[in-house]
Structure formats: structure tokens, C-alpha cells
Amino acid sequence: MNIYDVSKKAGVSIATVSRVLNGNPNVSEKTRARVLDVMNETGYTPNVFARGLGLGTIRTIGIMCSDSSDPYLAHAIYYLERELRLSGYDSILCCTGNSLENKRQYFDLLRSKKVDAFILVGSKFIELRAKDNSYLVEAAKDVPIMLVNGYLEGENIYCTLCDDRTAVRQAAEQLLSGGCNDILYLFTSYSYSGTNKMKGYRDALMNLGLSVREDYIQNCPKDVLETKKLLSRLDEEGLHFDAVLTSDDALAVGAVKYAHAYGRKIPDDLSIIGYNNSIYSICTDPEITSIDSKVEALCTTTVTTLMGVFNGCNVPSRTTIAADLIKRATTKFH
Amino acid sequence: MNIYDVSKKAGVSIATVSRVLNGNPNVSEKTRARVLDVMNETGYTPNVFARGLGLGTIRTIGIMCSDSSDPYLAHAIYYLERELRLSGYDSILCCTGNSLENKRQYFDLLRSKKVDAFILVGSKFIELRAKDNSYLVEAAKDVPIMLVNGYLEGENIYCTLCDDRTAVRQAAEQLLSGGCNDILYLFTSYSYSGTNKMKGYRDALMNLGLSVREDYIQNCPKDVLETKKLLSRLDEEGLHFDAVLTSDDALAVGAVKYAHAYGRKIPDDLSIIGYNNSIYSICTDPEITSIDSKVEALCTTTVTTLMGVFNGCNVPSRTTIAADLIKRATTKFH
């Protein structure tokens, strides 16, 4: 018997059950009575939400990410911990690596410690095959699961997403309207976020009635020197490109280094756009135009949403935040 | 009554007590009997070490660092988790921020979860005032505390250090023998590691009978653009320098950007050396000569030492690892 069973049996929403547990006055007396009756009948003992409300809680959130050495994830962890601390919650972080087995092991470890909620950071935490995520959907019956820039459907699962697709589409449109004709798109991953970014690139071309040439979409490791190597090879093979749009700043740094090595003038001869507006984007000369994926806003929104869940508020299961294009010297429109 | 009291009362080392608990055969029968007698007399129940040995243990190590978004610390966390997992241990990471109050709170949180040991990552985790570290010395009576590139004396505290002082001295010597006369030294922190690096700079000058000019030692935030600004200001104020030696790669990137902005030719007119051999060092053109502080070796050694402690081996309380100078295009000797 869990809170879902109570809500189903009482014919009210989970938020309403939570409000009753919370003593929130925004519940009619009739509804409150019905919920309490169901609880008495079924012997339901509030656990998760009660813990979230500070009743017997350890006031600790489990944060999981695949790789803490990735700059994007490292910053997300930093912001999440800060926001949770401001809300009076401790956090425990587990870096799981990319194997599903390890992810599940760490998840079970944190569950056994009775954390009040999970925050899973990054698109890569969600597996491509639905059945590989069923342990999360199942666990969410007992404990809220928050995803930072990852997407998974399920009750008690809440996603805060950056609108990567629109961001990449708009960046590509700016390149096209600035006179670039042959935009190379470099991506690192087929994750939810990675796939959306790629769709944005396709959207921009298709909206203008241009054809998408598959050899202008290239998979690339998230590595500066590998990116430089890839672009050098494509150049030597005779592929013509006047812009490089990337899914990660590390790739954009590699593009700048390729341009230096091959005597291509930035931005007159080659425009470059990065993603994440990370420290990488200001390491090079010229500095790199980059899409700010708003990691701080994603993290503060995630924590605000979680506190809403604990307080029995109606919170959206999916919140999307718009990205910003930060214009620097690798594009003509800066 | 803890393991130290037992060792004192039995007149044997802690490692010997641990060997007895471990059933390790390298203990004489006489010693074994004496230790067991003391345990029986005093009612001592093995806890920490027994847990470390898998008896009732949660097989989980608490990792603490001040800021997970720092690239050096982020990589250390990555390597530590990997090594611990290979040894069959889980890890819980807490990012504490820099305030002592938060560090202590997180430390207490992890202690209450009965972790088998602590690994504190980074020189900044240790406070400058001895009394601010006494909670660690005290806690080490019950649970091993490992420091990664931090230094604190105390029983059951084990430090794995990079020989920062020698590394900086040798780098400065190479610059001097390569014809640089006015080496600017930029540093970010007065931590144990930060202080040692600075000593290395002074050593190099003093060994050659050169005077140390204090205006050539400058404190600087760990920030690319702030470093560029500082060097630009020093240049405009008329300070002459033909080399910039730094305590962190981010500062070296700032130095490259200053050189680009002020038309100084690297390395003919200005040599630059970074520290940590991080991803930063290959983002710029030219790429940056940098001291490899061996973060991976520090982490694997820390975990090996910890497993030695758990197994009752005699392990050194302090291990020092030599750094390497990775020569790239910002120095003439590359």
C-alpha cells in the first residue's frame, strides 16, 4: 500500500493526499475525511512524503550523475548542492559511470539509505531502451525522482529540461542568415538531449526548404584534439564547410584549433558555435559564441519543484527552460 | 575504549591489533594472546577495522571535496570512485564548499552514516589553523582519514602528496637556464599545496643566488579573464617579465590570452607554464607546457593505502609522488 493506492482508492490526486498529510487547508473537509478513511481502512503509513515534510526524514537528497569530471555535470552538482542546502537538505552524490549495472547498484545503495528524493543529472542517465528505465519508474512509486535535462515519463517523476532543440535551430538560422551555406553539425551522443539538438539543426534547414546532407552531421568524441583531427580529415577529403555548429564546447575548441592549423580565418572564413557556454568558450582566441544551456536555472528549478512536491503543491511534471545564444568572436553576428 | 587504547595497553602497534582482528598469520602467538586478553579485559568490540574487513561493514567510503566543479577535484573524484569500486567499495561524495562550518556538518553527516573511511580531496580541505582541524584528528581515532594532496599530522591519518615544491623549482630552473630572467609567479591559494609551490619558486632563485623580488609573486583568482586583466595591468605599469609560472592551468590560459592581446610572441618573448596538465593546457594555441600533478596516481595510491589500513598492513602515513613537466609550445625547451 503506497500513496498511489490511497489516491486511487480515495479517487483524489496524489497532491491531495499529500496536502492532507501536510495539514494543508486547501482541501475540503469532505475530501480530507475520505482520504483519512482510506488510510485507516488500509493501514497506510505515510512514509516518503511525511519524510519530505520533515517527519522522521533524514532530509537528504540522493544526487546521481554519470561522470563528475564532465564540466557540465560538475557545475550542475555544484548548483544542486547549493540550492538543496539553502532549502535545508543535505545531499549525497554518487558518480555512477555509464554502465546500467553500476547506475542501478548506486540507485539501490541510495534507496537503502532512505534518501527523501533522487535527482538524476544529465540526459545520459536515462537509457535509450524503455525497459532499462523501468527500475526508476517502479521506484518513483515510493520516492520522487527529479531529472535534470533528462526525460522519462512516469508518475512522481519530474523533468526540468533545456529547450535544446529550439536553441540549436535558432543558432543554425543565425548562421544561415549570416551567409553560411554549408554548416557542419558535430554531436557527441544520442541521448535525449543529443537527439533534440540534432533535430534543431534539421529543423533550421528544413524550415528554409534546404536539404539535410547526412555527411554534414558527424558523430565525434567529446575531446578537443579528436575534434581537431576529425575536421582536418574532413577538410582534406574535400568536404566544404563554412560553419561548425557543435553539441558541446569541447568540440568548438577543437574547431578553433583546426582553423588555426589550417589557416582558416575565424569568423570570415569559418564560423563556430559551441554549446554550454562553459569555461572552454573563453579559453581560446577568438573566444567562442556558445549556447548557454542555463544549467543554474535548471538546477534551481529542479529544487524548487522538489520542494513543491514535498509540500503537496501541484507541480508540473515537465518544465522547459529556454537557452540563450552568447555571442562572441567566432561568429560574424557577435 | 578504541583500537588505540587496546594497542597502548597491549604495548603493540595498531597494525598489530588490526592483524589480530584480521586473523593475519604474521603475528606471534604470544602477541596474539596478549592482544586478545586486553580486548577481553576491556570489553573492546572491534568496529572500524572490523567493518573495513567486511564484518558488518557498509563497505562505503565517504569522499569529501570543497568544490566539485573545479577540474582538478572533479578528476580526483572520478579516479577515486573508480578505484574504490574496483576494490569492492561504494563511495558517497559530499561537496562541502569552503566554509569550515559546512565541512564539519558534512563530515558529521557521513560519520552518522558509518562510512568505513574518509577521503578528503584537495589541499584546501585542511584549514590553516591547527585547532580548526582538531575534529579530524579526533575522528581519526575511530575511522581512517585519507588526504589526497592535503597534509595533516595525526594517528590514523594518511596523506598522499604530490611533490609540488620540487616540481615548481625544476620548472623555474628550466626557465632560468633557458634564458628567462624575470619570471612572474602567479598563485591562487595559501593552502599547503599552494605554499609548497611558492617555496619551489623561491628555491630555484635562491639556489642560483638570485634575489626573490616580492612584486614578481602575485596572488590571482583562479579565473582566466582575471588573470589576463592582472597581467595586462602589470605590463602597463611597466613591470618587465619574460616568463609566467603559475599554480594552475586556468592562470596559464589567461597568460596566453594576455600575450595574444599585447602582441607578445610565445615562447620567444614570453614563456608560460601551467599546473595540473588539465584539459585547459591543450585548449589554447600555442598549447601550454604544464606540470602534471599526477592526480590519477595520487588517487590510486590513496585507495591502495586505505586497503592496506583495512588489512592491517604497515602503511606509510605519508606518501609523496613526483610530478612531471609536460613540455608543449609555450616554452622554448619543448
Side-chain angles (χ1 to χ4, degrees):
Chain A
M1 175 63 50
N2 61 39
I3 196 164
Y4 297 96
D5 302 320
V6 173
S7 84
K8 213 175 289 169
K9 217 167 150 84
V12 300
S13 69
I14 290 163
T16 301
V17 178
S18 180
R19 279 192 208 100
V20 171
L21 288 169
N22 192 17
N24 185 316
N26 295 329
V27 188
S28 74
E29 266 320 300
K30 201 176 139 191
T31 304
R32 184 184 313 276
R34 188 158 72 244
V35 170
L36 291 172
D37 280 351
V38 169
M39 286 183 187
N40 286 334
E41 274 168 38
T42 59
Y44 167 75
T45 326
N47 52 358
V48 179
F49 286 83
R51 282 198 278 112
L53 294 164
L55 311 170
T57 173
I58 62 164
R59 293 190 80 82
T60 300
I61 309 301
I63 302 179
M64 306 187 72
C65 77
S66 56
D67 174 7
S68 66
S69 71
D70 178 87
Y72 177 85
L73 298 178
H75 278 94
I77 291 160
Y78 175 83
Y79 292 124
L80 287 169
E81 290 229 305
R82 188 190 63 185
E83 293 303 309
L84 287 168
R85 195 184 296 142
L86 286 173
S87 296
Y89 281 79
D90 292 318
S91 45
I92 299 181
L93 189 133
C94 289
C95 307
T96 60
N98 279 316
S99 94
L100 177 60
E101 195 194 336
N102 282 330
K103 287 176 187 170
R104 291 192 62 155
Q105 271 178 8
Y106 274 99
F107 190 83
D108 289 343
L109 174 75
L110 287 175
R111 279 204 80 183
S112 74
K113 293 180 194 304
K114 303 212 180 300
V115 292
D116 297 297
F118 282 88
I119 302 181
L120 312 185
V121 191
S123 195
K124 276 180 120 169
F125 214 91
I126 302 303
E127 305 295 320
L128 295 177
R129 295 188 303 182
K131 72 173 175 126
D132 290 338
N133 299 313
S134 58
Y135 73 105
L136 295 173
V137 176
E138 189 57 35
K141 289 181 181 164
D142 292 319
V143 59
I145 297 185
M146 320 299 294
L147 303 182
V148 179
N149 216 25
Y151 184 63
L152 181 66
E153 271 186 69
E155 270 202 279
N156 213 21
I157 298 177
Y158 304 89
C159 310
T160 310
L161 298 155
C162 176
D163 189 354
D164 296 312
R165 183 168 180 169
T166 303
V168 173
R169 176 177 59 74
Q170 290 176 341
E173 284 169 352
Q174 292 226 28
L175 289 170
L176 290 164
S177 70
C180 296
N181 296 307
D182 301 316
I183 307 174
L184 197 60
Y185 181 70
L186 302 185
F187 72 102
T188 61
S189 141
Y190 287 99
S191 67
Y192 179 78
S193 164
T195 311
N196 265 335
K197 290 175 188 172
M198 197 187 299
K199 283 179 187 159
Y201 169 75
R202 292 174 182 275
D203 289 346
L205 295 172
M206 291 191 295
N207 289 351
L208 285 173
L210 301 168
S211 64
V212 176
R213 294 162 295 179
E214 295 304 324
D215 52 341
Y216 279 79
I217 302 180
Q218 295 273 343
N219 196 344
C220 181
K222 198 187 284 189
D223 182 288
V224 169
L225 298 182
E226 288 297 323
T227 307
K228 179 182 175 184
K229 222 184 280 177
L230 171 67
L231 291 177
S232 306
R233 181 171 64 72
L234 294 173
D235 183 327
E236 283 164 18
E237 287 172 5
L239 190 78
H240 177 264
F241 50 94
D242 50 20
V244 182
L245 180 55
T246 69
S247 71
D248 191 282
D249 282 335
L251 278 53
V253 170
V256 169
K257 291 173 75 80
Y258 147 76
H260 287 164
Y262 280 68
R264 300 197 60 177
K265 216 163 155 356
I266 305 171
D268 295 338
D269 185 28
L270 186 71
S271 295
I272 297 167
I273 299 184
Y275 209 105
N276 284 339
N277 192 36
S278 69
I279 181 81
Y280 286 125
S281 60
I282 56 158
C283 281
T284 57
D285 286 312
E287 294 175 6
I288 300 170
T289 295
S290 182
I291 293 166
D292 182 348
S293 50
K294 301 291 183 69
V295 59
E296 185 172 4
L298 254 65
C299 293
T300 55
T301 302
T302 298
V303 173
T304 306
T305 305
L306 177 58
M307 295 305 135
V309 172
F310 285 156
N311 290 317
C313 306
N314 269 320
V315 296
S317 64
R318 182 175 175 167
T319 309
T320 303
I321 290 174
D324 249 357
L325 186 64
I326 308 298
K327 298 174 182 178
R328 296 199 184 88
T330 56
T331 47
K332 289 175 211 165
F333 50 77
H334 81 275
Chain B
M1 175 61 53
N2 61 38
I3 195 163
Y4 297 94
D5 302 320
V6 173
S7 83
K8 212 174 288 167
K9 217 167 150 82
V12 301
S13 70
I14 289 163
T16 302
V17 178
S18 180
R19 278 193 208 98
V20 172
L21 288 170
N22 192 19
N24 184 316
N26 295 329
V27 188
S28 75
E29 265 321 302
K30 200 176 140 195
T31 303
R32 185 185 313 276
R34 188 160 70 243
V35 170
L36 290 173
D37 281 351
V38 170
M39 285 184 188
N40 286 333
E41 273 168 38
T42 59
Y44 168 75
T45 325
N47 52 358
V48 181
F49 286 84
R51 280 196 279 117
L53 294 165
L55 313 169
T57 174
I58 61 165
R59 292 190 79 84
T60 300
I61 309 300
I63 301 179
M64 307 186 72
C65 76
S66 56
D67 174 7
S68 68
S69 72
D70 177 89
Y72 177 85
L73 298 178
H75 278 94
I77 291 159
Y78 175 83
Y79 292 125
L80 287 169
E81 290 230 306
R82 187 190 65 187
E83 292 304 309
L84 287 168
R85 194 183 297 142
L86 288 173
S87 295
Y89 281 80
D90 292 318
S91 46
I92 299 181
L93 187 132
C94 288
C95 307
T96 61
N98 279 317
S99 93
L100 177 60
E101 195 193 334
N102 282 330
K103 288 176 186 169
R104 293 193 63 157
Q105 270 178 8
Y106 275 99
F107 190 83
D108 290 343
L109 174 75
L110 287 175
R111 280 204 81 184
S112 73
K113 294 179 192 307
K114 304 211 179 300
V115 293
D116 297 298
F118 282 87
I119 302 181
L120 312 185
V121 190
S123 193
K124 276 179 119 170
F125 214 90
I126 301 303
E127 305 295 319
L128 296 177
R129 295 188 303 184
K131 71 173 176 125
D132 291 337
N133 298 313
S134 57
Y135 73 106
L136 296 173
V137 177
E138 190 57 32
K141 289 182 182 164
D142 293 319
V143 58
I145 296 184
M146 319 299 294
L147 303 182
V148 179
N149 215 25
Y151 184 65
L152 181 66
E153 272 186 68
E155 270 201 280
N156 213 21
I157 298 177
Y158 304 88
C159 309
T160 310
L161 298 156
C162 175
D163 190 355
D164 296 312
R165 183 169 181 168
T166 302
V168 173
R169 175 177 60 73
Q170 289 176 341
E173 283 169 354
Q174 292 226 29
L175 289 170
L176 290 164
S177 70
C180 295
N181 296 308
D182 302 314
I183 306 173
L184 198 57
Y185 180 71
L186 301 185
F187 72 101
T188 61
S189 142
Y190 287 98
S191 66
Y192 179 77
S193 164
T195 310
N196 265 335
K197 291 175 188 172
M198 196 187 301
K199 284 179 187 158
Y201 169 76
R202 291 174 183 275
D203 289 347
L205 294 173
M206 291 190 297
N207 288 352
L208 285 174
L210 300 170
S211 64
V212 177
R213 293 162 295 178
E214 294 305 325
D215 52 341
Y216 279 78
I217 302 179
Q218 295 274 344
N219 196 344
C220 181
K222 199 187 280 188
D223 181 288
V224 169
L225 297 183
E226 287 296 323
T227 308
K228 180 183 174 184
K229 220 184 282 179
L230 171 67
L231 292 177
S232 306
R233 181 171 64 73
L234 293 174
D235 182 326
E236 283 165 18
E237 288 173 3
L239 192 78
H240 178 266
F241 50 93
D242 50 19
V244 182
L245 180 55
T246 70
S247 70
D248 191 281
D249 282 335
L251 277 52
V253 170
V256 170
K257 291 174 74 78
Y258 147 76
H260 287 164
Y262 280 70
R264 300 196 60 177
K265 217 164 158 350
I266 305 170
D268 295 336
D269 185 29
L270 185 70
S271 296
I272 298 168
I273 298 183
Y275 209 103
N276 284 339
N277 193 34
S278 69
I279 180 80
Y280 285 124
S281 60
I282 58 159
C283 281
T284 57
D285 285 311
E287 294 175 5
I288 300 170
T289 295
S290 182
I291 294 166
D292 182 348
S293 49
K294 301 290 184 68
V295 59
E296 185 171 5
L298 253 65
C299 293
T300 54
T301 303
T302 298
V303 173
T304 306
T305 304
L306 177 59
M307 295 306 136
V309 172
F310 285 154
N311 290 317
C313 305
N314 269 322
V315 296
S317 64
R318 183 175 175 167
T319 310
T320 303
I321 290 175
D324 249 358
L325 187 64
I326 308 299
K327 297 174 183 178
R328 297 199 183 88
T330 56
T331 46
K332 289 175 211 166
F333 50 77
H334 81 276

